[in-house]
Structures are given as structure tokens and as C-alpha cells.
């Protein structure tokens, strides 16, 4: 077992997270990911909603073959599944697809149809939060594509922080990036993006809970539109 595969204690992980959050605040995204890869090795993964493959691409440069975890809720647009398949086919990453305990049909039978309209928090818990909790058990650190400018709820996202709920280091290497930074990286490296991003969607989630954004709205305004809900619970 190499040092990078060591099982750290929660106290050690918390200290890593807090120190990295301070020391890497101004570091380039690739440097943050190289730190994560060097520290956690195969116990580090990237999660991706397949809105784009920017963080997966950055992580593959830091650690070729890195695990990229995708949550297949059963409610995705076909473009999202296509993006997942394309990432798996062309990038030097290991795509891992997590699925909920129940299919949509099984959930409909137990809770009634369209749970997303009646109780989206429960639907997100069953189809996103619980499967991710299960899937992340193999890792000590995980990376997300959260960016501070996406919404007020994400404005204080640290580049590295302590995920108290899951007892893991949570890394957001592009937290400081603007949409222009994302667009420039995509253009420079030819990174795969979800085709819906050029069809009026600024943020892509499950089909029943995502609409196109209007002029002047923030990027996540099309998610659970008309409801007070703004996050699925993965980042709370
Ligand atoms: S985003 Fe909507 S459909 Fe997807 S898990 Fe949450 S409530 Fe269910």
C-alpha cells in the first residue's frame, strides 16, 4: 500500500481539508487536483453531472485514469447520457455510474408517480443523495465542479473543505472560475460539453426539474424553477 492509499483518520482528513482550503485558495485548478491526486491516490474521485467534462478533463491531467462518478437518476436527458458515454469513450478516465436502489417504475409503484412534482426533496434523496453516499464510501476525497458565481448558495464554496456529512475532503478546483474561464478552457482543450448548453440550458439536471434559463437569470435558475428548492442535497 502506498502512502497515497493510506486510510486517513477523519481528524487527519479534516486537517488536510482546512489546510488545503487556506493554502490552495489562489492556486490554479490543475495544481489543486495534483495535490488531491498525490495525497489520496485511488481514494480520490471526481463527480460529474455531465453538464460538461471540464473538471474530469483537468483531473485526468492530474491523474490519468481517475475515477469519474456519475449519478444516473433515471430521469436524465438523453443528451446527458450521451455526454457520459462520450466522456467514457474518449477521455483517460474511469467512468463509474451509480444508480438508485429503485428504478423509476419501482419508485412510482411505492411512492406514486411524479414524486419529483410532489416531494422533490424526497425524490432527490432517493435518487441522488443516498446513491452518492453509498458510492463515495470507497473514497476519502471527492471533487466537484461547483463555482462561486453559479448562484448565491455557492458564493462561498472553498477550493477544498471538510464535508462533515460524509467525513471526506471535498474539493472544488474551479470554485473561483467564471463562465468565461470555463468557456476558454473548453475551447482551448476541446472539452466535451452537454449539447443542451447550446440549446438554452445553463445548468443541466434531471429532465422533469430543469428548464431553459431566461435572459438575466443566474445559471441555476432553470433548476426546480418556481420552487424554493435550489440544490439537490448533494452539496448541503
Ligand atoms: S432533480 Fe428532480 S427528478 Fe431528479 S432526483 Fe431531484 S426531484 Fe427527482
Amino acid at each position: 500500500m502506498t502512502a497515497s492509499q493510506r486510510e486517513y483518520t477523519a481528524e487527519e482528513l479534516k486537517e488536510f481539508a482546512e489546510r488545503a482550503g487556506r493554502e490552495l485558495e489562489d492556486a490554479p485548478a490543475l495544481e489543486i487536483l495534483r495535490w488531491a491526486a498525490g495525497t489520496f491516490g485511488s481514494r480520490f474521485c471526481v463527480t460529474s453531472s455531465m453538464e460538461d467534462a471540464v473538471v474530469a478533463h483537468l483531473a485526468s491531467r492530474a491523474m490519468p485514469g481517475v475515477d469519474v462518478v456519475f449519478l444516473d437518476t433515471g430521469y436524465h436527458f438523453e443528451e446527458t447520457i450521451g455526454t457520459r458515454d462520450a466522456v467514457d469513450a474518449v477521455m483517460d478516465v474511469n467512468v463509474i455510474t451509480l444508480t438508485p436502489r429503485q428504478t423509476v417504475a419501482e419508485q412510482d409503484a411505492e411512492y406514486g408517480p411524479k414524486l419529483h412534482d410532489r416531494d422533490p426533496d424526497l425524490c432527490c434523496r432517493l435518487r441522488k443523495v443516498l446513491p452518492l453516499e453509498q458510492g463515495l464510501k470507497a473514497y476519502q476525497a471527492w471533487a466537484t465542479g461547483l463555482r462561486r458565481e453559479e448562484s448565491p448558495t455557492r458564493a462561498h464554496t472553498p477550493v477544498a473543505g471538510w464535508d462533515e456529512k460524509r467525513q471526506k475532503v471535498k474539493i472544488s478546483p474551479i470554485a473561483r472560475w467564471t463562465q468565461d474561464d470555463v468557456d476558454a478552457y473548453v475551447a482551448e482543450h476541446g472539452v466535451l460539453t452537454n449539447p443542451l448548453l447550446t440549446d438554452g440550458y445553463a445548468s443541466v439536471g434531471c429532465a422533469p426539474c430543469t428548464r431553459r434559463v431566461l435572459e438575466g437569470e443566474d445559471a441555476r435558475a432553470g433548476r426546480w424553477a418556481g420552487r424554493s428548492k435550489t440544490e439537490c442535497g448533494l452539496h448541503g
Side-chain angles (χ1 to χ4, degrees), residues 26 51 56 65 105-106 112-113 156 159 171 192 198 201-202 221-222 232:
D26 298 321
E51 190 171 291
E106 288 167 346
H156 303 290
V159 296
I171 298 150
L192 285 161
T198 54
Y201 294 84
C232 50

Side-chain angles (χ1 to χ4, degrees), residues 48-157:
S48 176
S49 65
M50 297 300 164
E51 190 171 291
D52 62 52
V54 168
V55 176
H57 187 274
L58 280 159
S60 75
R61 292 170 65 195
M63 188 163 88
V66 65
D67 286 352
V68 173
V69 173
F70 170 70
L71 266 173
D72 186 354
T73 63
Y75 278 121
H76 283 302
F77 293 98
E78 62 184 38
E79 289 87 345
T80 301
I81 300 300
T83 304
R84 186 268 320 263
D85 293 345
V87 165
D88 198 22
V90 307
M91 288 177 55
D92 190 1
V93 297
N94 176 38
V95 174
I96 295 172
T97 297
L98 304 178
T99 52
R101 184 177 61 83
Q102 293 180 310
T103 64
V104 170
E106 288 167 346
Q107 178 173 293
D108 286 354
E110 182 170 344
Y111 296 91
K114 298 192 176 182
L115 184 61
H116 45 75
D117 287 351
R118 293 175 289 109
D119 191 345
D121 286 342
L122 177 58
C123 187
C124 276
R125 181 163 174 74
L126 295 170
R127 311 204 72 74
K128 290 185 170 182
V129 177
L130 293 177
L132 187 71
E133 261 168 34
Q134 191 64 30
L136 286 184
K137 281 191 175 151
Y139 305 98
Q140 297 186 315
W142 62 300
T144 79
L146 297 183
R147 291 188 299 108
R148 293 173 188 165
E149 73 160 23
E150 285 177 312
S151 70
T153 57
R154 299 184 173 188
H156 303 290
T157 301

